Amino acid sequence: MSKKTPKTRRPAPPVTKPRNQLHNVLKPGQSEDAAGAEFIMQGTAANAVTTCRWSHLVFGQPVDVTECDLAMLRVINEIKEGSLAPAEAILTAQALTLNAMFTNFAERARQAKLVETFEQSMRLALKAQSQCRATLETLAAIKNPPVVFARQANISQGPQQVNNGTEAPSRAKQFAPAPSKLLDGDHGERLDEGTQGETVDCDHRLEPMEAVHRAPKRRR
């Protein structure tokens, strides 16, 4: 009798997830609705989808949305930890791209035969040049932040204490307001008006003037 050879099972084909769908991993005890709401509120999911759709026109093939979202989260966490290397790399790459756009439009303007085409190409070239300059200025500000010098204005009433040094004073000093010098003399003695005089009656009754004191009549 011939023995039957056991049939070997073929391994199941791996399940391929579509690249244009965003997949999320549920946390322990988390519902699908809660995971979906948290996924949307993070802000990276929608940006990852938009980045992949725009990048499809550049690379010519679809990019995995989930991997793009995870890569975006890694860059965000790196910036949170204090490293600005990803931002500096993006700004540098954008500045180089804008410079390439400037040279492209400038060459188109040189080869233009119509005035309208020349003006349109030069306008786009100068816009790309302006954006390239602004991008480089932003990159320089990130590398070397500007120092702001602010003057301190102390506007208050009464005694006050202002400490501009780095070391804290051991004991606060109280400053009393300076006395007014209007009542003091040159030698530090208080001015005295003297003894008070007698009160006299100044309300005299007015009497008519004599004839001799009158003004002469004018002749007409």
Side-chain angles (χ1 to χ4, degrees):
M1 295 179 64
S2 61
K3 296 182 179 179
K4 295 182 178 181
T5 57
K7 296 181 179 181
T8 58
R9 295 183 179 181
R10 294 180 179 179
V15 179
T16 57
K17 299 180 181 179
R19 292 186 174 184
N20 58 351
Q21 291 183 1
L22 199 59
H23 303 280
N24 191 10
V25 180
L26 297 179
K27 297 178 182 179
Q30 189 180 30
S31 62
E32 294 184 0
D33 294 337
E38 182 181 358
F39 207 53
I40 294 175
M41 295 304 294
Q42 283 180 354
T44 58
N47 288 279
V49 173
T50 305
T51 304
C52 291
R53 289 179 178 177
W54 279 84
S55 300
H56 174 69
L57 301 175
V58 178
F59 298 106
Q61 58 182 0
V63 183
D64 189 86
V65 182
T66 305
E67 294 297 330
C68 185
D69 179 65
L70 294 177
M72 188 175 295
L73 286 175
R74 286 193 293 269
V75 173
I76 293 174
N77 292 330
E78 187 175 353
I79 294 178
K80 284 182 178 179
E81 293 176 357
S83 175
L84 295 176
E88 295 175 0
I90 291 173
L91 290 174
T92 305
Q94 288 180 354
L96 296 175
T97 304
L98 289 168
N99 183 56
M101 295 172 63
F102 163 74
T103 54
N104 184 282
F105 285 116
E107 183 64 20
R108 289 186 183 184
R110 188 189 67 83
Q111 297 178 359
K113 297 180 179 180
L114 299 177
V115 178
E116 292 79 4
T117 307
F118 173 80
E119 290 181 352
Q120 183 179 7
S121 299
M122 283 301 300
R123 190 181 301 111
L124 293 175
L126 293 178
K127 283 186 177 181
Q129 188 270 342
S130 178
Q131 292 298 322
C132 178
R133 175 186 53 79
T135 304
L136 291 176
E137 288 179 354
T138 305
L139 181 61
I142 291 178
K143 297 286 290 184
N144 300 313
V147 180
V148 179
F149 295 94
R151 293 184 178 181
Q152 183 178 5
N154 301 320
I155 302 174
S156 63
Q157 297 179 357
Q160 60 178 341
Q161 180 183 3
V162 179
N163 298 321
N164 293 325
T166 57
E167 298 181 359
S170 59
R171 184 177 181 181
K173 298 181 180 180
Q174 298 293 334
F175 296 95
S180 177
K181 297 182 180 180
L182 295 178
L183 299 178
D184 296 337
D186 297 334
H187 303 285
E189 297 179 358
R190 191 173 183 84
L191 297 179
D192 193 1
E193 297 179 358
T195 58
Q196 186 175 359
E198 288 186 19
T199 304
V200 296
D201 188 8
C202 294
D203 188 10
H204 299 286
R205 186 174 300 177
L206 296 178
E207 298 179 357
M209 299 178 66
E210 297 291 339
V212 70
H213 298 291
R214 292 183 181 178
K217 294 183 179 180
R218 294 181 181 179
R219 296 180 182 179
R220 297 182 180 178

